Amino acid sequence: MKITVLTQFPEIFAPVMGSSILGRASDAGLIDVRAVNIRDYSADRHRKTDDTPFGGGAGMVMTPQPAFDALRSLGAEGKRVLYMSPRGRMLDYSLAEELAAEEEFFILCGHYEGVDQRIIDAWNMEEVSIGDYVLTGGELAAMVLVDCVSRLIPGVLGSPESLSEESIYSGLLEYPQYTKPRNYEGLEVPEVLTNGNHKLIHLWQLRESLILTKKRRPDMFAEYVRTHNNLTKDEKKVLDDVLSLED
Ligand code: ADE
């Protein structure tokens, strides 16, 4: 998968894209993330990429020329181009899955007061938000998106089970995890996790996920109940039990 990010601050991306799981995925050729400096496409002799807004107001707005030229010369015509913005569609699992199925897409990062609307309109950009808060620029948002899309690409996470396991629990908050030692200063790991009965372990984890989701994210819980019609008899029993619990 090739992702090209247009930004005024390409240097921000290198440490994130070069470390840990994303670094390994790049080395293995599973993802190819390029951060391109939009200033390199400015026709202005000072490499300017923004100007004051028509209509007045504070801040600067990205001018059309560097963005148009960059997108044209990088071959973005006919490809998905995202624009990171708090006005956009909220990034969630379904958008991440959609993007993970693409071979290539582009991301534009804005700064200050944003970008000239003609850039968004002419390139048919999809605005994407990572949450109801305002960042100083789109770069951190773009990295969040790249990270969560990348981990859905086959091979990026170590074991395929990491993802398939997740799909049973998809739409639920994660159950609590424990590691060694079994007893730390008198604090015990739940007995069921230590006896090696995988079926019981799965049902315990499912129950914990369901309880947590029902309590913290009733919206997600309701959606899970509505859509997960493929549970086994035992899983269904766990769900019915959680449904009957008092809040
Ligand atoms: N740029 C500034 N704030 C943002 C947000 N919340 N999501 C995506 N891009 C942004």
Side-chain angles (χ1 to χ4, degrees):
M1 143 148 345
K2 187 171 168 191
I3 305 171
T4 306
V5 185
L6 280 72
T7 166
Q8 287 170 278
F9 305 96
E11 67 281 0
I12 300 179
F13 287 81
V16 173
M17 295 308 145
S19 313
S20 183
I21 294 174
L22 295 186
R24 273 202 304 274
S26 292
D27 291 344
L30 297 168
I31 53 168
D32 175 7
V33 182
R34 273 180 217 177
V36 172
N37 194 338
I38 196 146
R39 284 181 208 282
D40 292 346
Y41 295 86
S42 171
D44 178 77
R45 68 194 163 91
H46 302 294
R47 305 214 305 159
K48 244 175 85 131
T49 56
D50 47 24
D51 214 325
T52 53
F54 276 122
M60 299 290 267
V61 175
M62 187 183 287
T63 54
Q65 179 273 318
F68 273 65
D69 282 359
L71 288 162
R72 275 198 196 108
S73 100
L74 294 163
E77 267 129 351
K79 306 268 165 60
R80 265 178 113 154
V81 188
L82 313 181
Y83 169 57
M84 304 314 297
S85 150
R87 299 195 306 201
R89 167 178 173 188
M90 203 65 81
L91 175 62
D92 60 10
Y93 202 70
S94 83
L95 178 55
E97 275 188 321
E98 238 180 68
L99 292 169
E102 299 284 341
E103 250 167 50
E104 177 176 16
F105 65 90
F106 291 75
I107 306 175
L108 175 66
C109 301
H111 251 263
Y112 314 115
E113 286 308 301
V115 306
D116 189 299
Q117 184 64 33
R118 289 167 293 182
I119 302 173
I120 297 170
D121 294 343
W123 288 86
N124 214 359
M125 290 187 182
E126 298 170 54
E127 296 187 51
V128 178
S129 169
I130 65 159
D132 283 335
Y133 42 80
V134 182
L135 302 166
T136 57
E139 283 77 12
L140 286 169
M143 285 190 271
V144 167
L145 182 139
V146 168
D147 188 288
C148 91
V149 170
S150 297
R151 65 189 287 289
L152 298 178
I153 295 167
V156 169
L157 294 183
S159 65
E161 297 99 70
S162 316
L163 272 185
S164 64
E165 216 172 78
E166 222 168 69
S167 77
I168 309 169
Y169 298 94
S170 84
L172 294 178
L173 301 181
E174 209 181 346
Y175 50 78
Q177 297 274 18
Y178 298 87
T179 185
K180 293 173 200 72
R182 270 191 193 201
N183 180 319
Y184 179 71
E185 295 186 355
L187 304 169
E188 295 272 2
V189 170
E191 179 76 33
V192 61
L193 298 178
T194 63
N195 64 17
N197 184 330
H198 294 293
K199 195 174 153 203
L200 283 183
I201 290 171
H202 163 61
L203 293 174
W204 180 86
Q205 290 172 333
L206 181 63
R207 184 182 159 85
E208 292 296 313
S209 275
L210 287 166
I211 290 172
L212 204 63
T213 311
K214 184 169 175 240
K215 192 162 144 208
R216 293 197 191 161
R217 292 293 305 272
D219 56 323
M220 275 172 71
F221 182 75
E223 182 66 9
Y224 186 89
V225 174
R226 198 178 67 78
T227 53
H228 280 68
N229 311 313
N230 55 348
L231 300 180
T232 65
K233 230 173 107 194
D234 287 330
E235 289 167 346
K236 180 84 174 55
K237 242 168 86 184
V238 171
L239 176 60
D240 287 340
D241 185 42
V242 171
L243 276 166
S244 72
L245 293 176
E246 297 280 330
D247 286 327

